[in-house]
Amino acid sequence: MATSTVAIVDVRPDLTAAHREAWQALGQPGTWWSGAQRLELAATARTAMTEPSPLAPWTAPSTIDGWLADDLAAPPRAHDAIYRVARHAGTLTESWYEGVCSELTDLAYVELVGIACTVAAVVAFRHAAGLAPSELPLPVGGEPSRATPSNLVPAALNWVRVTSPADERAAVVQAFTSVPAEHQRLWNLADAQYIPDLEMVDPHWTRGTLSRPQMELVAARVSRLRECFY
């Protein structure tokens, strides 16, 4: 009988710390979701990523008897949305997004996508590195801050509103600016996983491992294989 093996990898301390901080933040009150709601949504995103026989993109978890718990903290539509974002991001359409936001609001949706991004980053890395899955943290009490920037405007490069000025930066950079706390959390991850924001203009930047061109080649190849529309 075949036996499974666990890889032994040397993970940079700053990357370990960034993942740990982001993972713990899943249980903390956010801007639009409580700590308990964020954890619930994170659990659904993790299931979407890891279950061997996922639901089809057009099948919402809330339509399957027993898939969701009866005593949910977050609305069923939020679980439906984060499942599809986490597992079938390439199938999202603007009309689907508008339907979700008609129930959840666009800013709550932005934070929901941020939760999915955190789960995807940590879960995928640990799986690829042969590391044991991380247990979700305990929820932290408290209410969402509901802090809303005063300078939100529509954007041509994003479905969601962004902070002004719109469309002067890449869509992926401005996408989370309407929820500053989530925006900062994701950049903290990006600084460790990819490249610090302030170094983006330097094509020769490196940590001493992969060069910048090598990093971009890997990123482009992965995006192509995953049919990333961005």
Side-chain angles (χ1 to χ4, degrees), residues 32-41 69-76 78-79 139:
W32 298 101
W33 301 101
S34 69
Q37 290 173 323
R38 285 170 59 84
L39 278 179
E40 264 192 13
L41 295 172
D70 294 330
D71 55 345
L72 293 174
H79 286 275

Side-chain angles (χ1 to χ4, degrees), residues 65-158:
D65 287 342
W67 204 101
L68 295 172
D70 294 330
D71 55 345
L72 293 174
R77 187 61 183 271
H79 286 275
D80 294 343
I82 202 166
Y83 187 99
R84 187 161 175 177
V85 168
R87 187 75 192 214
H88 302 296
T91 71
L92 305 187
T93 65
E94 189 169 5
S95 62
W96 173 87
Y97 156 78
E98 290 171 347
V100 171
C101 291
S102 69
E103 294 187 34
L104 304 182
T105 77
D106 60 337
L107 302 190
Y109 173 79
V110 170
E111 183 173 334
L112 180 148
V113 174
I115 293 169
C117 289
T118 293
V119 171
V122 176
V123 169
F125 175 81
R126 296 189 70 83
H127 174 74
L131 300 172
S134 295
E135 293 292 331
L136 286 168
L138 295 174
V140 176
E143 295 299 316
S145 71
R146 302 192 179 276
T148 305
S150 60
N151 59 334
L152 293 182
V153 295
L157 299 178
N158 295 85

Side-chain angles (χ1 to χ4, degrees), residues 161-215:
R161 289 179 292 169
V162 301
T163 55
S164 180
D167 303 325
E168 292 188 2
R169 293 174 290 170
V172 70
V173 175
Q174 68 177 4
F176 292 94
T177 55
S178 61
V179 185
E182 206 63 33
H183 185 252
Q184 186 58 55
R185 287 190 184 106
L186 291 173
W187 268 113
N188 290 344
L189 271 177
D191 285 353
Q193 294 181 150
Y194 173 44
I195 181 172
D197 186 19
L198 296 178
E199 305 295 343
M200 290 289 182
V201 296
D202 183 2
H204 304 293
W205 185 89
T206 178
R207 284 191 170 91
T209 50
L210 294 181
S211 67
R212 178 73 184 278
Q214 288 172 325
M215 292 167 63

